[in-house]
Amino acid sequence: MRILHLLASPSWSGPAENVALLALAQREAGHEVRVAVDRRRAEASSEELSVPRFAALGLLDEGGLELSVKSPPWRMVGDGWRLRGRSVEVVHAHFTHDHLVARWGRPRGAVLIRSVHAPRSLRASLPEADAYTVPASSLITRLVGRRVQVLPPLVDGMFRPEADREALRRELGLTGAPLIGMVSTFQASRRHALGVEAFARLRRVRAEARLVLVGDGGLVETVREQVRALGLEEGVTFAGYQQGEAFARWLKALDEVWILGLGNDWSARAAAQARACGVRVVAVEEGNLPSLADARVEELTPEAVVAASESGERALVEHPGNARIAADVLALYERARAGR
């Protein structure tokens, strides 16, 4: 099967890694797979660019699609014409821009699959597709009467338990127990302020506890000020932005990760990565987090976060594996092709 993924983003963030892992698993299953990304904003983002990543994986599409939300209308029309001339069986669109281009430029005989990565995309103007994927089972009811399937996060093989966690912690300069982390961009939706308040309460009874904050973003300094105001400087480590193997190392060093909100990808990939590393997950009931959490935060209060952390619960949940997820998505493609 010839599959073309459309991802109108220049950055290796949000769903990009999940799309890459899905495409790799589909290729390993014997299919011809390419990923087209935003080629207009190659210098526009401060984040890591996706073009080098997809190129290194042998997945980057070179079919001339600009695929950018910054494209003027005539460039979008041009993308539609170029897409129409492609010889593929499946066009898998991941963002609204991709879906619009694919809706009008669908190659003859190809099925159109739309992945919804966050609930905001599920609105009345959602263009028709032959099938859909959603990041959480709670969203299936919003697509009643259509072919739909949950697309859980895929996990890179570098996320696995650390053989010598104590040695890793020494290398990273981490002390204390338990080691609790938050691994996300510093933005309001991730609720770092709630996490710091909860940690302040936890440290009253667990004096050796340490909070490790991995990431960057616009609210870093606001959170630093909160840490200072609560007198927590000695118990909080700001690890900064980490990526690839470096990110995996920081994650593996933790005892527990708190995920108190999601951004633009509701598949809860960080929770799946943490579980793969043997790290306990405490999470709010948002997106796909309930299916991946060891302990759920019942209310958005510091007391509820501490209660979930101290509960000691461990969920018996196993990741289905990238090959299994890819097989399920390929089966969705086949159902869509059969139903046309």
Side-chain angles (χ1 to χ4, degrees), residues 108-126:
R108 179 181 294 274
V111 294
L112 173 57
I113 311 298
R114 169 66 192 274
S115 278
V116 172
H117 295 285
R120 64 175 179 271
S121 297
L122 288 172
R123 47 184 179 264
S125 60
L126 179 69

Side-chain angles (χ1 to χ4, degrees), residues 153 183 257 259 267-276 279 281 283 288-289 292-293:
V183 291
V257 65
I259 304 180
S267 72
R269 188 172 65 256
Q273 292 167 338
R275 292 296 299 269
V279 176
V281 176
N288 196 40
L289 285 171
L292 294 165

